[in-house]
Amino acid sequence: MSKHTTPLAVLGGLTAEQFLTEYWQKKPLLVRNALPQLANMFEPDDILELAQEPEITARLITQTGEQGEIWQVKNSPLSKKDFKKLPEQWTLLVQAVDHYSLDLAQLWKQFDFIPQWRRDDIMVSYAPKGGSVGKHFDFYDVFLVQGYGERRWQLGQWCDENTASVANQPLKLLPDMDVDFDEVLQPGDLLYVPPRLSHYGVAENECLTFSFGFRMPNAAQLIDHVSDRFADQSHFKTPIIDISRRPSQSTALISGEEFAYLKQQLLDALQQDTQFEMAVMALASEAKYPDNIPENEEISLEELREDFSDDSQILLEPASRLLYRQSAQAELLEFWANGECLCIDDASQQLFKQLADGEIITLAQLLQYDENIIADVLMAINQSILMLLEAE
């Protein structure tokens, strides 16, 4: 039985194939007790303390006024004084908590039926009773998993970039929702919300909600990265050969035929050159929060052998991205990490593929390989693409 045809507890017994065909980017899914291990993983104080660390990306959202119509947002860095004299309704959003908790980062494996390059981060929302971020919609896929406490979720109409929002607010809020889903999530419950579907979450009591977000690049990002790649190649700076048959036209007119010709020349360049694939790899492998990647003290091969126990673990650094593609030579893979192409020995490819796919190896296993492979893995550890976790 393949991974895509195996019933998954996180999807309430649906197979990945069923979910991707029937629900993914089409309709919401509620699964009770989908991730019970998340229920007791964190307490509110853990998130409040993390939010006050200087490197953390966080937002403190408050709601005041007679009808709760006045919204304010304070961006990180946050400190203890920011949490004093708060109004009754407020919410704290902390980004990329998976970069600081290996236990939480390992829960990405529950969603491994979606390609790793689509992962965004795991955001945690903390709120006391009544806390919310208002009625809104997002352009990305999200699995909302309840940790501590309870949150009520309402889902409504589909939206797009032309949907009206409330004027003069620091958040993009919807004026109203046509509610057709209204449920309270208990610890461990999961709600999948597809892109553009309006939703509204309100804390029933002090609670933590974990948002497993999945991103897709937009056309503007792709164009920017392709443009950067083309700009670095001299043959793309050569003027395009003129159209073979000059149409009869006014001197100042650019004809539809000429527009079509120029567009086709650009499309041909995209089709015939590897720069598009490289641009996509650079974009997809970029770290969303590069400042979260630790700056490790460099380890030598001798220190690796002498200072770490055999059962020390080697795995992906949660704040980094390691992806691969089939290279022009079909039998080889090309690896990219944090926006850059990696230069590794051909013999290292199988091991790097395993690590990129989320496998964990021990130091004892690594030391069984030849020195070129060990050197490549050590390079990735020293660049904080991989992490070396000492045995407890």
Side-chain angles (χ1 to χ4, degrees):
M1 188 176 287
S2 74
K3 180 172 69 175
H4 270 59
T5 57
T6 303
L8 300 175
V10 74
L11 297 177
L14 293 174
T15 66
E17 186 175 48
Q18 286 175 306
F19 173 76
L20 294 171
T21 301
E22 299 174 24
Y23 292 87
W24 182 246
Q25 300 199 325
K26 296 181 183 73
K27 61 182 181 180
L29 175 67
L30 172 64
V31 181
R32 298 293 184 184
N33 205 35
L35 285 175
Q37 59 269 52
L38 191 54
N40 299 310
M41 194 174 287
F42 297 89
E43 294 188 354
D45 284 348
D46 299 325
I47 302 303
L48 283 169
E49 290 174 12
L50 183 63
Q52 295 170 48
E53 295 294 328
E55 72 277 9
I56 290 293
T57 301
R59 287 173 290 165
L60 180 60
I61 299 169
T62 56
Q63 187 179 4
T64 55
E66 290 184 9
Q67 305 297 321
E69 73 280 9
I70 302 172
W71 296 80
Q72 291 183 309
V73 179
K74 187 176 191 310
N75 294 310
S76 52
L78 300 174
S79 63
K80 279 186 178 181
K81 68 178 183 179
D82 293 311
F83 296 94
K84 294 179 179 179
K85 297 182 180 179
L86 286 170
E88 185 177 344
Q89 295 174 305
W90 60 275
T91 295
L92 173 66
L93 303 179
V94 184
Q95 300 290 156
V97 177
D98 51 317
H99 296 178
Y100 301 93
S101 167
L102 278 177
D103 289 338
L104 183 59
Q106 290 301 307
L107 290 183
W108 279 119
K109 292 181 179 179
Q110 297 288 326
F111 304 97
D112 64 0
F113 49 88
I114 302 167
Q116 187 210 129
W117 70 272
R118 291 289 316 279
R119 294 176 188 170
D120 194 18
D121 70 332
I122 303 176
M123 181 188 77
V124 180
S125 170
Y126 165 67
K129 183 178 180 179
S132 170
V133 296
K135 302 177 179 73
H136 68 286
F137 72 97
D138 302 304
F139 284 105
Y140 54 84
D141 299 270
V142 63
F143 293 88
L144 301 165
V145 185
Q146 192 61 28
Y148 185 97
E150 302 167 315
R151 189 182 292 263
R152 178 185 180 188
W153 285 100
Q154 295 179 324
L155 306 179
Q157 71 276 18
W158 293 93
C159 305
D160 59 30
E161 59 275 5
N162 299 314
T163 300
S165 59
V166 180
N168 304 315
Q169 294 289 357
L171 300 169
K172 195 168 184 178
L173 303 173
L174 298 172
D176 208 350
M177 274 175 45
D178 301 325
V179 176
D180 59 12
F181 173 99
D182 193 336
E183 297 283 350
V184 174
L185 266 63
Q186 310 285 340
D189 291 350
L190 172 150
L191 176 62
Y192 164 68
V193 180
R196 301 181 296 105
L197 185 65
S198 58
H199 49 285
Y200 180 39
V202 181
E204 291 280 286
N205 42 46
E206 187 179 41
C207 76
L208 299 176
T209 303
F210 295 75
S211 300
F212 292 72
F214 288 85
R215 64 177 177 174
M216 177 65 92
N218 58 46
Q221 291 173 313
L222 286 174
I223 290 170
D224 281 347
H225 279 70
V226 169
S227 175
D228 289 343
R229 287 280 163 185
F230 277 24
D232 290 337
Q233 304 298 312
S234 59
H235 60 282
F236 288 122
K237 297 178 183 178
T238 303
I240 293 171
I241 296 172
D242 200 1
I243 191 168
S244 58
R245 185 178 64 80
R246 173 63 54 198
S248 176
Q249 63 186 53
S250 301
T251 304
L253 174 70
I254 301 177
S255 69
E257 187 177 353
E258 288 170 309
F259 278 119
Y261 174 76
L262 290 171
K263 183 184 292 185
Q264 190 58 53
Q265 293 300 303
L266 179 58
L267 292 174
D268 288 347
L270 288 171
Q271 290 283 357
Q272 297 167 12
D273 198 277
T274 60
Q275 296 303 315
F276 176 77
E277 288 82 356
M278 295 176 73
V280 171
M281 291 302 295
L283 175 59
S285 67
E286 279 183 351
K288 184 178 179 183
Y289 297 98
D291 290 344
N292 291 357
I293 300 173
E295 295 183 10
N296 295 331
E297 187 174 334
E298 191 162 309
I299 303 169
S300 68
L301 180 55
E302 184 179 348
E303 290 169 328
L304 184 69
R305 293 180 184 277
E306 294 181 358
D307 296 348
F308 294 88
S309 61
D310 284 349
D311 54 352
S312 295
Q313 295 183 323
I314 298 166
L315 64 159
L316 280 175
E317 162 56 48
S320 289
R321 291 183 183 269
L322 177 61
L323 305 174
Y324 56 87
R325 74 178 185 109
Q326 206 79 46
S327 72
Q329 298 169 284
E331 71 278 6
L332 297 178
L333 299 175
E334 182 181 276
F335 289 83
W336 287 71
N338 299 332
E340 300 289 339
C341 187
L342 290 183
C343 181
I344 62 171
D345 193 279
D346 291 352
S348 301
Q349 297 208 356
Q350 183 56 42
L351 181 56
F352 268 71
K353 180 180 181 297
Q354 292 172 229
L355 291 164
D357 286 338
E359 292 188 32
I360 299 173
I361 65 168
T362 64
L363 181 57
Q365 290 172 314
L366 174 64
L367 295 177
Q368 292 175 4
Y369 290 92
D370 69 40
E371 291 202 356
N372 287 338
I373 297 176
I374 296 172
D376 284 339
V377 172
L378 183 58
M379 172 272 296
I381 292 170
N382 285 332
Q383 292 183 10
S384 294
I385 298 165
L386 301 174
M387 69 183 303
L388 180 60
L389 192 62
E390 293 187 70
E392 293 182 0

